[in-house]
Amino acid sequence: MTVNVKTPVGYTVVRSATIGPVCVVATEAGLVSCMGFSSSSGDAEVETWLNVVLKRIADQVDLFHVALGDEPNAGTLTDEAAVSTTATATTTNAAKVLKNYLNCVDYSANNKAQEQEPQITALHAFPIDWAFVSRFKGVAPDSLQMKVWKHMRSIDAKLCDYSAVAKAAGSPTAIRAAATAVGHNPVPLFVPCHRVIGKDGKMRGFSFAGGLAVKRILLKMETGKVFIK
């Protein structure tokens, strides 16, 4: 008899006064998804998104909510899933690292100085479970899309354009495909797709709640530059 062992997947929501709530999703091995929501979004919107993003492998996961210290039910798990203390810890740590980064965003938006580099470094160094990402996104581990996502973790505050991303991913002529991969980044902020801009210096797009307005905020904080277009 074959036993179907499901993957424990935890999720929680971190809130920013500047860019709104952000949901992080993690397995025992690392982060697998990150998504921003409008400031008016509640639990129902987050749960709907989770059902959509994990639809491909819904029968292979045990999804549970991890309450943070500022929530009424902190320290509890809201679902009766087969809870993994390791996945809980990974989710909590991802939320902590993200919260420190978002605090920098909020300070910057209010023109207050705060040391940013340690928080940015910690965010971009947080482990990502690429094997699980491959499963739930249906993307081959050796695909251009996956190579683009992995490369973007190495983009520093100097920024880069889409053609440079395509070249770094091993397909210098596949600029349009690389741009599409950037737009489908499953873990924005942790994988800094907001640092990819057009060769002409224009911001182009950002597939995160708030779009280009949020991209401007992030780039101003990280680079000190003000982007208009």
Side-chain angles (χ1 to χ4, degrees):
M1 178 178 178
T2 301
V3 178
N4 181 20
V5 179
K6 295 186 176 182
T7 302
V9 178
Y11 75 94
T12 195
V13 175
V14 180
R15 300 183 185 279
S16 162
T18 305
I19 69 174
V22 182
C23 180
V24 291
V25 186
T27 63
E28 294 179 339
L31 190 76
V32 297
S33 194
C34 175
M35 176 58 70
F37 294 84
S38 66
S39 57
S40 61
S41 297
D43 292 344
E45 285 83 359
V46 172
E47 290 171 6
T48 296
W49 169 74
L50 285 166
N51 288 332
V52 171
V53 79
L54 295 174
K55 183 178 180 180
R56 181 188 298 271
I57 56 171
D59 61 338
Q60 302 172 34
V61 303
D62 269 324
L63 183 67
F64 61 92
H65 173 243
V66 179
L68 301 179
D70 56 354
E71 296 184 52
N73 57 342
T76 66
L77 299 169
T78 58
D79 297 331
E80 298 297 326
V83 172
S84 161
T85 54
T86 304
T88 300
T90 305
T91 306
T92 302
N93 289 337
K96 184 185 298 184
V97 168
L98 177 61
K99 182 63 177 176
N100 289 339
Y101 174 82
L102 293 178
N103 283 342
C104 291
V105 174
D106 292 342
Y107 268 81
S108 176
N110 289 293
N111 297 312
K112 296 180 180 179
Q114 186 183 47
E115 189 176 13
Q116 301 167 358
E117 196 55 39
Q119 284 72 31
I120 295 173
T121 299
L123 187 80
H124 297 163
F126 195 85
I128 292 177
D129 186 350
W130 290 115
F132 187 88
V133 170
S134 176
R135 283 171 56 200
F136 90 82
K137 295 294 288 185
V139 175
D142 60 348
S143 66
L144 173 63
Q145 200 162 355
M146 188 66 75
K147 290 177 182 177
V148 166
W149 293 342
K150 290 182 177 181
H151 165 69
M152 286 192 292
R153 297 216 86 182
S154 65
I155 299 174
D156 60 23
K158 295 178 182 178
L159 310 179
C160 75
D161 59 62
Y162 294 94
S163 61
V165 171
K167 183 177 180 180
S171 301
T173 61
I175 300 173
R176 187 178 295 275
T180 299
V182 171
H184 286 87
N185 173 21
V187 277
L189 305 185
F190 290 85
V191 171
C193 56
H194 60 276
R195 291 183 174 182
V196 183
I197 61 176
K199 207 164 190 177
D200 56 2
K202 294 182 179 179
M203 291 192 301
R204 299 306 183 201
F206 188 38
S207 54
F208 192 83
L212 291 182
V214 169
K215 188 169 183 175
R216 285 191 188 93
I217 292 170
L218 299 180
L219 290 179
K220 180 185 177 185
M221 182 199 76
E222 294 183 0
T223 70
K225 298 177 182 179
V226 177
F227 290 79
I228 305 300
K229 299 181 180 180

